[in-house]
Amino acid sequence: MTPRRPTPMDAGALRRRNLSAVLELVHRHGGVTRADLTRALGLNRSTIGDLVAVLVEHGWVDERDDAPRSGVGRPSPRVAPSDTRVVAAVNPELDVIDVGLVSLGGQIVARRRVALDHVPSVAETVAITAQTVRELAAEAPHVEVRAVGVAVPGLVRRRDGQVRLAPHLGWREEPLAAPLAEALGMPVSASNDAHLGCRAEQTFGAGVGAGTMLYLNGGPSGIGGGLVVDGRPMDGTAGYAGELGHLGLDPAGPLCACGARGCLEALAPRDALVAAVGLEHPDDDALEEALVAAVAAEDADGAARTEVARQLRWLAVALRGAVNFVNPDRIVLGGHLAALWRCADEAQRASLIADALPASAAEVTIEPAALGAQRLLIGAAELAWDELIADPIDALTTPALAEA
C-alpha cells in the first residue's frame, strides 16, 4: 500500500511539533549542539538545520561556535537559548511577594522581593505583581516578557487559575490568573507552589534523572509536596495531590490552618525556625545560612538546635509513611525542610527513614533542593514557558509586555 502523503495541515502540525521539540531540548539543557539534536530527535541534519534556522530567525535561540571539540573536524554549532526573551514568575506569600524574570534554561535574570507587613489580598497581590513586573521589565529594556506563571501556596484549579483554597493567605474561591492577565495584557497560568517546586527540581535540580521522586516543600504558608512516578508528575484527578503537609501525625497536636489537628506543617512550621534565629522576611537561602550557623555555635540546649531536632523527629514520622507508601528512589527536601537537613548530623539524617520498612527504604536517597530559594520562581516560569514552547512561532502573535 502506498503511504498517504501528508496534507498541508499534517505538515504544519509536524513542523510545529518539531520546532517545539528542538526548543524544549535547548531549554532543558541550557544549550545543545546540532549533533545532539540530531541524535535525540532522530531527524536528519538538514531538517535540524532548518528548524534551528527558523528558531534563530524568530529570536528564540542563538547559534554559537563555542561547543567543546570531540574528535576530528569542526565542532557542531551549539544552539543556545536567546537571552532576550523571558517570562515573569511570581510567588505570593504571607509576608512577601517574590517576582522574577526567568529566561529559557531556567535562569533568573532579575528578581525583586516585595516585603509586606500584612497578609495580601488577591487584589493587592495582582496590583503589586503587575507593578513589579513592569518595573523589572523597564530596568531590562533588552528583554521582552511573554507570559506569567504564579506559584500559589494552596490548591489551584489549573485550567483557569482559580485559587480554591490557600488557607494561610485566607484565599478561598478567588480568581487570580484572570485579573493578573488583564492587568498585564498577557497570558497568566497558576498552580500549586510545591508542584512547581517539584517540577523545577526535576527539570534543573536535585531531581534530574530520578524515576520515582518524592518532593517536600517547606515555606511560610506550610508544607506541600509533589510526586514523580516513572519520570512523570502525578497530580491527582483535579491536580491537588501531594498535600503532604496535611498528613495527620498527632491527633492531639496543634491546630492546623486546614482545621485539623496534628498535621505535619503544624508540627514543623517555618516560623519557629525563623524566630529561633531572629530574622525578618528571610528567603530560604538566608534562613538556611543563619540556621546552620546557629546550630553550629550553640550547645545542646540552644533554641535553634532544639527546634531543629524537634522538627526532624516529626519529619521522620511523615517520611516513614511516605516511603512505605510510595517507595521512591529519591526524596528531595526544599525550603526550611532543606535547612533542617543541612543542620542535621549523620545520626539525625539516618533517622529520617530508619523506621520505614527496610525493603522500601533500601534504595532511597535524600537530598536538599539544588535550586535553593529560586526553585519556586523557576517552577512558576516552567508553567509560563509551557504554551510558548508548545508553539513558539504562533506564540509571537501575542504582544510582549513592552509592546502591549
Side-chain angles (χ1 to χ4, degrees):
M1 179 182 294
T2 302
R4 181 174 68 89
R5 297 190 57 165
T7 65
M9 183 175 294
D10 292 332
L14 179 61
R15 188 172 180 77
R16 284 193 298 274
R17 187 184 72 182
N18 287 339
L19 285 167
S20 175
V22 169
L23 190 56
E24 177 70 24
L25 283 172
V26 173
H27 171 57
R28 281 179 168 267
H29 296 282
V32 290
T33 66
R34 282 199 192 187
D36 292 331
L37 292 169
T38 300
R39 286 190 292 269
L41 299 178
L43 302 172
N44 61 49
R45 287 183 294 176
S46 62
T47 299
I48 290 294
D50 174 63
L51 294 170
V52 170
V54 171
L55 293 173
V56 170
E57 177 187 355
H58 287 84
W60 285 108
V61 301
D62 300 315
E63 280 202 283
R64 302 171 185 170
D65 292 325
D66 58 0
R69 181 182 296 275
S70 59
V72 298
R74 182 180 177 184
S76 177
R78 189 169 70 91
V79 184
S82 169
D83 59 4
T84 62
R85 196 157 286 156
V86 301
V87 297
V90 187
N91 174 219
E93 264 296 354
L94 300 181
D95 58 351
V96 70
I97 297 176
D98 201 0
V99 182
L101 301 182
V102 186
S103 67
L104 284 165
Q107 298 299 309
I108 295 181
V109 299
R111 182 185 179 195
R112 181 166 300 162
R113 287 169 56 82
V114 182
L116 305 170
D117 59 5
H118 62 281
V119 177
S121 66
V122 171
E124 287 177 302
T125 299
V126 169
I128 292 171
T129 296
Q131 178 181 345
T132 305
V133 169
R134 291 189 182 280
E135 289 173 353
L136 290 176
E139 293 167 9
H142 65 287
V143 305
E144 54 181 57
V145 185
R146 282 281 165 186
V148 183
V150 187
V152 181
L155 304 179
V156 183
R157 192 164 61 205
R158 173 69 185 273
R159 62 179 171 82
D160 60 0
Q162 174 97 354
V163 179
R164 305 301 306 277
L165 177 64
H168 292 270
L169 291 172
W171 299 355
R172 185 185 295 271
E173 296 300 343
E174 294 271 12
L176 176 61
L180 185 54
E182 183 177 356
L184 286 170
M186 64 177 51
V188 176
S189 301
S191 187
N192 174 261
D193 61 347
H195 286 193
L196 295 177
C198 180
R199 181 172 175 184
E201 289 293 331
Q202 182 192 12
T203 305
F204 300 111
V208 171
T212 300
M213 180 179 82
L214 181 65
Y215 171 79
L216 278 81
N217 185 77
S221 289
I223 296 173
L227 179 63
V228 173
V229 177
D230 294 333
R232 302 181 61 181
M234 304 296 289
D235 294 337
T237 300
Y240 307 142
E243 287 296 326
L244 294 167
H246 296 290
L247 287 174
L249 305 181
D250 181 5
L255 185 66
C256 181
C258 72
R261 287 194 174 275
C263 293
L264 172 62
E265 72 174 43
L267 293 162
R270 182 181 190 268
D271 58 5
L273 298 174
V274 172
V277 293
L279 296 178
E280 291 187 10
H281 309 297
D283 71 2
D284 292 323
D285 293 342
L287 173 59
E288 181 178 301
E289 181 180 359
L291 202 60
V292 169
V295 168
E298 289 177 350
D299 58 28
D301 297 324
R305 185 184 290 266
T306 299
E307 182 61 22
V308 165
R310 190 190 69 79
Q311 293 201 16
L312 283 168
R313 287 193 293 271
W314 285 115
L315 180 60
V317 177
L319 290 181
R320 178 183 66 195
V323 167
N324 289 343
F325 186 69
V326 177
N327 185 213
D329 60 87
R330 195 173 307 175
I331 296 171
V332 176
L333 303 175
H336 72 276
L337 303 182
L340 292 176
W341 172 260
R342 293 198 188 277
C343 290
D345 58 32
E346 289 188 14
Q348 288 172 318
R349 291 181 179 183
S351 73
L352 289 179
I353 55 174
D355 290 336
L357 293 172
S360 298
E363 299 182 21
V364 178
T365 60
I366 303 177
E367 299 181 28
L371 303 177
Q374 298 184 339
R375 71 199 183 285
L376 299 184
L377 290 184
I378 293 173
E382 287 298 283
L383 199 60
W385 282 122
D386 281 344
E387 291 190 15
L388 299 175
I389 291 175
D391 194 349
I393 307 308
D394 186 63
L396 300 181
T397 61
T398 301
L401 179 64
E403 302 166 353

